[in-house]
Amino acid sequence: MGAAAKLRRRFEEGEAGLGSYYDRLLPELERIQRDLNCFTSITIGLAHQTIERLEKKAASGQPGGKLFGVPVVVKDNICVSGHPTTCSSRILQNFTPPYDATVITKLLAEDAVIVAKSNMDEFGMGSSNENSAQGAVRNPRDPARAPGGSSGGSAAAVATGVVPIALGSDTGGSIRQPSAFCGVVGLKPTYGTVSRYGLVAFASSLDQIGPLAADADTARLVFDIISGHDPKDTTSIPQESYPSRTDLKEFKGLRIGIPREYFENDIQPEIAAAIADLKERLADSGCRIIEVSLPNARHAIATYYTIADAEASSNLARFDGVKFGHRTAGASNLAEMYTTTRSEGFGAEVKRRIMLGTYVLSSGYYDAYYRKAQQVRRLISQDFERAFQQTDLLLSPSTPTTAFKLGEKVDDPLAMYLSDIFTVSVNLAGIPAISVPYGRDGEGLPIGVQFIGPRFSEYQLLEVASQVEQLNDA
Ligand code: GLN
């Protein structure tokens, strides 16, 4: 049983009272906020409202939902009605959405308690959580280090053990990379299985919401709740194609592919050693290890940053000082109002992406960059399809290094982009993947390993992640 289910049972069996639990939890949240800067806001009002409702429900003898009383943190690009959603950007500093994202409606329907919105890289753009208008998040495993990004606040909060669940979003690795850096489990679902309604768009063809959790069981519980068809999201997949929990393949005999090209990259020796060790133990447990080739893997970073920036430049056009958030004071005409609002409102990395994205979409360059990237995206997807003809899942590191120091890569965008080398292809192909902790490096920092599966293989991935947790604890 996972951490969330255990906590729910304590409430259910009367071992813990909601009131006293939350009286202790709220100061804990304030403490980790002081230490780590992991939240953009603590939603005390909403938490109290929910607790009151849950207490009444319990008193009337009604059964509690699957997350009865369980505290959940929500990345600050997911709308919670009546609470600020800033995307850690100055431009949305005063934006309060009047509606809940579908994932929030679903969590609340299962009696979860939303306790905080989490700090992130501005609009999801970054791999260290340093691109935040509110400042960097610190990694609880070592406060001098980055928690990863862009869901850094979510990963840090779960890693403290204070909350068992956080929601994140993953456009190119933003759930898996911070999960690896902080030593928690992170699932990026198949594109279209979790509604994006109420998620502030970064790159719409890549964005997916998913859980960061204390353990694989808890991630499974959250995925169960937040997945499902949503008519409010036109890219949501119809119910009949959804992942099934019943036809899981047995662990013994599972064919696990090792993508040769991934290991041609610079990988921290302890991470390569962790993968080698895991391969052996999986083989000992009866899995079949098969080397596979993903020949277009080396184009993944260039392809991802072309497509993601193109979509971002278009999506972020709506932040113009008219419809949402910040508007500059004292511009003398409309054009000046737009330029000054956007110059003041966006941080350096977001501006870089908007300019790159506008460039690759501009007439004369569209064919050379954007169209070409779309063609390579297709090739990357086909590489995976071919690999899954001979294997059930693929195994790789989640990241080429463990958590790096804060400040180490801020002046070198390319070095920062390269920390996504193992995660971005999965988003380009729309397939699911999970990062799960396995081993530590010489400094005691957690190592994350990634399993990648074909569309709708979430439950298989979660099952394997549970097995890896057991191997890691053994
Ligand atoms: N680090 C990647 C980027 O900066 C991925 C971000 C994400 O998944 N939101 O684009």
Side-chain angles (χ1 to χ4, degrees), residues 33 54 80 100 149 168 191 202 206 252 269 289 301 321 325 406-407 438:
Q33 170 58 13
L54 298 188
V80 177
D100 279 331
Y191 184 78
F202 160 10
L206 302 162
K252 211 167 141 72
I289 307 291
I301 290 282
L406 286 166
Y438 187 75

Side-chain angles (χ1 to χ4, degrees), residues 77-79 99 101 168-169 195-202 207-209:
N77 57 354
I78 299 173
C79 292
Y99 68 99
S169 64
S195 170
R196 291 184 296 114
Y197 179 74
L199 168 71
V200 179
F202 160 10
D207 298 339
Q208 229 358 232
I209 296 176

Side-chain angles (χ1 to χ4, degrees), residues 124-127 150 170-174 202 304-305 353 420:
M125 300 175 188
S127 312
S150 64
D170 193 311
T171 305
S174 281
F202 160 10
Y304 167 79
Y305 278 95
R353 307 268 183 127
D420 304 325

